[in-house]
Amino acid sequence: MSWRRGQTYSQDLRDRVLKAEGSARQVAARFGVSVSYVVKARQRRARFGSVTPRPQKPPVARLLVPLHAAVAAEMARRPETTIAEMRDWLHREHGVLASMGTVWKTLSQLGLTLKKSRSAPPSRPARTSPKRDAPGARCAPG
């Protein structure tokens, strides 16, 4: 059994791990779980008497979900806004203190990018070095 990010082990496996006797290393090897899982499961049972998993946190920042429409509208109105300016706007207009990471993730979820315009017009492709003779071409005798 391999490590599964963000997923809890089944209650059946938890019960078998906690009933098993031996060191944490022996139990971990026997059931294919990490040593730290065995130690933490045993500690949780000893401290709280609970053998069920704790509730999982949502993988997406939920702080700004109610404000998605407002954030999208503000970015449409001021497309040159930076993350720091967006944080200030959220605090000033909505009273929400959000981290840079939360604002970044929110913009990503909304499909909004940070760079809205070019700093200079696109340039034409041009050679930067002189044209060479074709491979195998003879040089003129000199």
Side-chain angles (χ1 to χ4, degrees):
M1 191 173 284
S2 64
W3 183 63
R4 304 175 309 169
R5 180 179 180 183
Q7 297 180 4
T8 58
Y9 289 120
S10 68
Q11 189 60 46
D12 177 53
L13 179 62
R14 285 175 173 276
D15 293 339
R16 286 185 287 144
V17 165
L18 291 171
K19 285 180 185 174
E21 294 192 18
S23 71
R25 286 185 191 279
Q26 292 169 338
V27 173
R30 180 175 168 196
F31 291 104
V33 297
S34 69
V35 176
S36 68
Y37 170 73
V38 176
V39 170
K40 289 175 185 177
R42 287 176 175 176
Q43 287 174 347
R44 184 169 167 77
R45 180 183 58 188
R47 289 180 187 162
F48 306 111
S50 174
V51 295
T52 59
R54 292 180 298 192
Q56 295 291 306
K57 294 180 182 177
V60 180
R62 302 285 184 204
L63 178 66
L64 300 179
V65 169
L67 301 174
H68 275 189
V71 169
E74 181 65 14
M75 288 301 288
R77 190 174 72 80
R78 296 184 323 154
E80 302 297 324
T81 302
T82 65
I83 291 180
E85 292 169 344
M86 182 57 69
R87 286 180 68 213
D88 293 340
W89 175 81
L90 285 166
H91 182 59
R92 187 175 59 252
E93 298 293 323
H94 298 282
V96 175
L97 289 171
S99 68
M100 298 279 271
T102 299
V103 175
W104 179 278
K105 287 178 187 176
T106 300
L107 294 176
S108 177
Q109 289 167 5
L110 295 173
L112 301 172
T113 59
L114 295 177
K115 194 164 196 172
K116 301 298 179 192
S117 64
R118 294 178 173 268
S119 57
S123 62
R124 292 188 340 233
R127 289 194 178 276
T128 56
S129 51
K131 188 174 181 179
R132 292 187 166 166
D133 289 332
R138 295 185 179 211
C139 296

